[in-house]
Amino acid sequence: MSRIILTFVFCLLTGGVLLAADSKALPTPAERGYSFLVDKPYLPPDFDQETFEAAAKHWPEAIRAQASWVTLEQRRKIAWDRYGLTPRPDEAGKPLQYVVDAAGNWTMNCLACHGGAVPDGQGGMKTWPGAPNSRFALQTLTEETRLAKADLQKPFTRMDLGSVVVPLGSTNGTTNAVMFGVVLMAYRDADLSLHKNRAIPRMVHHDMDAPPWWHLKRKKMMYIDGFAAKGARGLMQFMLVPQNGPEKFREWETEFEDVLAYIESIEPPKYPFPIDQELAARGRGAFSRVCADCHGTYGAGGHYPEKRIPIDEVRTDRVRLDALSATHREAYGNSWFAHFGKLPNVNEPGGYVAPPLDGIWASAPYLHNASVPTLWHVLHPARRPAVWTRQGDQYDQDRVGPTISEHDELPSTVTAGWQRRQYFDTRGFGKSSAGHDFPDALSEDEKRAVLEYLKTL
């Protein structure tokens, strides 16, 4: 009898251990959220592997020649670099920005804009999910895969056709994201029922920079104007393609609660280069005096005020603010995305929200439209270049941002669309680098110290 009891106790104990081990092995909500983003296609495919490889036929001659004699792996790197794609940190053979299924179909995910690379401190770059993808060349990728589809006699998809009406981005690393949302919502009722017979809405096309995802945990509201309450549903609005009816959004809501958990689990990368700690300490004091009222404080007891600055005070490019009308914002606030008006919604925000600055070194370029290339230029408003372009992946430790070349105007040798998108021309519509002159309250020595302090955040 005692043996039976002992056996029973042993089974309970080992079963308990096994259950504990099994529960420990279960993925967390954040882990599930990441898997949903990189493994589950929520949209129809954009193209397949054959099309992606055939796009190389439409590269410039010099790049085609380079790709013709290298290995398959090297050719893939050339293609990924051209389009601003990065390997997944956990599966280097697949791009972070697309779900690639067993049949070779590529479907864009949220990390296309919100998954980039940051300097590793040793002359290279490392993938950092949640970092803005400042190299994403969506317009170029779409144009060249569309040409490849024509060669292969494959049907065009929503990106191929939609980009005729809605431009995808005039500078690499930026997208016309606000108008994507406007046009998709225009064909839906509040409960997301589809109405295909509606007229195309008025649109004001302009480019936006993707914010770092690690900032979201500090916010109650989303977007640069802070008009929409944070929530899982709000993350889903860009899936409003005709193939996704209201039932799909209700089915997927719990999955996007995990996606939100993943986003809020992301930490900013640490600055990988040496920091002058004494200079940074002096910069902290100057930052507290001039910058902290809007951007918050950091370290133990730090506080982020989520403060909206009136447009006439911040004086940065106002196209983004005006492009999204009060009617558009109100329609969003009354829809399923905002729980039919139960969540806070600001229909007339009147300005932009000063963002947190955690990991600010890793989120260049700056301002909501990506018009300012480095933190040095943020602190020196009068010295911001009219036209600038990156010098590869080189990182400027002195100015804190990409190494750039500056121009008074677009070089005459730049003629093709893919070339123009490698340059940022601040004279374009919605692309002004003016405004945010607050750093002029600092002396030159204080600016140097604040720049060093920002590396520590």
Side-chain angles (χ1 to χ4, degrees):
M1 186 66 174
S2 60
R3 183 177 294 177
I4 294 173
I5 293 172
L6 286 171
T7 303
F8 178 71
V9 171
F10 177 77
C11 289
L12 283 176
L13 289 173
T14 54
V17 171
L18 288 173
L19 284 172
D22 286 345
S23 64
K24 213 172 182 183
L26 290 175
T28 65
E31 290 168 339
R32 291 196 304 267
Y34 173 78
S35 294
F36 286 135
L37 287 177
V38 298
D39 294 329
K40 181 169 181 175
Y42 290 96
L43 300 168
D46 297 289
F47 47 81
D48 59 20
Q49 186 67 35
E50 182 184 23
T51 301
F52 183 75
E53 293 174 0
K57 296 177 182 178
H58 300 281
W59 293 350
E61 174 59 34
I63 303 177
R64 289 204 312 271
Q66 178 189 3
S68 65
W69 56 268
V70 298
T71 65
L72 179 62
E73 184 176 348
Q74 290 170 324
R75 189 157 58 248
R76 181 182 68 186
K77 185 179 186 308
I78 292 171
W80 287 19
D81 286 347
R82 178 166 180 78
Y83 300 129
L85 308 180
T86 59
R88 298 183 190 178
D90 56 342
E91 194 171 359
K94 290 185 177 181
L96 179 67
Q97 295 79 13
Y98 282 81
V99 177
V100 183
D101 67 17
N105 295 309
W106 287 50
T107 304
M108 189 189 304
N109 63 31
C110 301
L111 291 157
C113 295
H114 296 279
V118 300
D120 62 7
Q122 300 175 357
M125 303 289 287
K126 62 180 178 181
T127 300
W128 199 276
N133 188 1
S134 59
R135 303 298 293 273
F136 190 35
L138 179 57
Q139 184 76 41
T140 300
L141 174 59
T142 301
E143 290 177 357
E144 293 177 355
T145 52
R146 183 167 56 214
L147 290 170
K149 289 174 187 176
D151 294 340
L152 299 168
Q153 297 186 331
K154 295 190 175 188
F156 290 154
T157 62
R158 71 188 189 287
M159 295 296 289
D160 303 309
L161 300 173
S163 60
V164 176
V165 179
V166 184
L168 304 179
S170 62
T171 302
N172 292 349
T174 66
T175 62
N176 189 14
V178 175
M179 290 303 107
F180 297 168
V182 167
V183 73
L184 291 172
M185 280 292 291
Y187 297 98
R188 302 284 178 149
D189 280 345
D191 67 355
L192 307 188
S193 296
L194 179 65
H195 295 269
K196 294 184 179 180
N197 59 348
R198 292 182 178 175
I200 296 175
R202 173 184 172 271
M203 289 182 284
V204 182
H205 300 305
H206 62 285
D207 295 336
M208 283 287 294
D209 186 29
W213 262 356
W214 55 77
H215 285 172
L216 194 60
K217 68 168 67 71
R218 304 195 69 182
K219 295 183 173 185
K220 296 177 182 177
M221 306 294 281
M222 298 194 298
Y223 307 122
I224 186 62
D225 56 9
F227 92 88
K230 179 173 66 176
R233 291 186 182 183
L235 302 176
M236 303 172 69
Q237 62 180 301
F238 294 106
M239 303 187 314
L240 282 170
V241 295
Q243 294 88 340
N244 292 340
E247 71 285 348
K248 287 292 185 183
F249 285 85
R250 286 151 180 77
E251 174 189 338
W252 292 334
E253 182 178 2
T254 56
E255 296 176 1
F256 271 78
E257 289 171 356
D258 288 342
V259 170
L260 179 58
Y262 166 66
I263 294 173
E264 294 196 318
S265 75
I266 296 172
E267 294 295 329
K270 301 294 185 184
Y271 187 74
F273 303 106
I275 297 175
D276 183 334
Q277 296 294 343
E278 183 179 342
L279 182 61
R282 295 204 301 272
R284 179 173 186 150
F287 178 92
S288 297
R289 190 183 85 249
V290 174
C291 313
D293 184 55
C294 295
H295 291 289
T297 55
Y298 300 84
H303 169 68
Y304 171 60
E306 200 165 358
K307 185 175 181 179
R308 187 183 294 108
I309 314 302
I311 189 64
D312 291 338
E313 183 179 343
V314 68
R315 297 190 300 112
T316 51
D317 194 300
R318 65 176 298 142
V319 169
R320 159 64 178 82
L321 181 66
D322 298 335
L324 194 59
S325 70
T327 301
H328 292 143
R329 292 188 178 91
E330 184 177 17
Y332 175 91
N334 291 331
S335 75
W336 179 85
F337 292 118
H339 295 257
F340 302 104
K342 293 180 181 178
L343 296 184
N345 206 71
V346 183
N347 297 337
E348 297 185 24
Y352 298 132
V353 175
L357 300 183
D358 314 75
I360 188 67
W361 74 272
S363 62
Y366 301 102
L367 301 188
H368 68 275
N369 58 2
S371 59
V372 180
T374 73
L375 284 178
W376 185 90
H377 289 103
V378 172
L379 295 171
H380 294 82
R383 302 285 297 278
R384 296 169 188 168
V387 179
W388 57 273
T389 186
R390 294 170 179 268
Q391 298 298 300
D393 286 333
Q394 298 177 55
Y395 191 80
D396 189 332
Q397 297 180 48
D398 293 327
R399 292 191 167 187
V400 190
T403 300
I404 63 166
S405 61
E406 302 183 17
H407 307 268
D408 293 330
E409 58 184 24
L410 201 66
S412 59
T413 55
V414 175
T415 55
W418 68 268
Q419 290 176 306
R420 289 195 299 272
R421 288 188 285 273
Q422 292 181 334
Y423 288 78
F424 197 106
D425 187 343
T426 65
R427 300 165 301 176
F429 181 72
K431 302 178 83 68
S432 171
S433 63
H436 194 273
D437 300 324
F438 310 115
D440 284 341
L442 299 165
S443 70
E444 190 58 37
D445 285 344
E446 287 177 324
K447 289 181 180 182
R448 190 167 65 90
V450 167
L451 188 64
E452 200 72 10
Y453 171 64
L454 293 174
K455 298 176 184 178
T456 70
L457 303 184

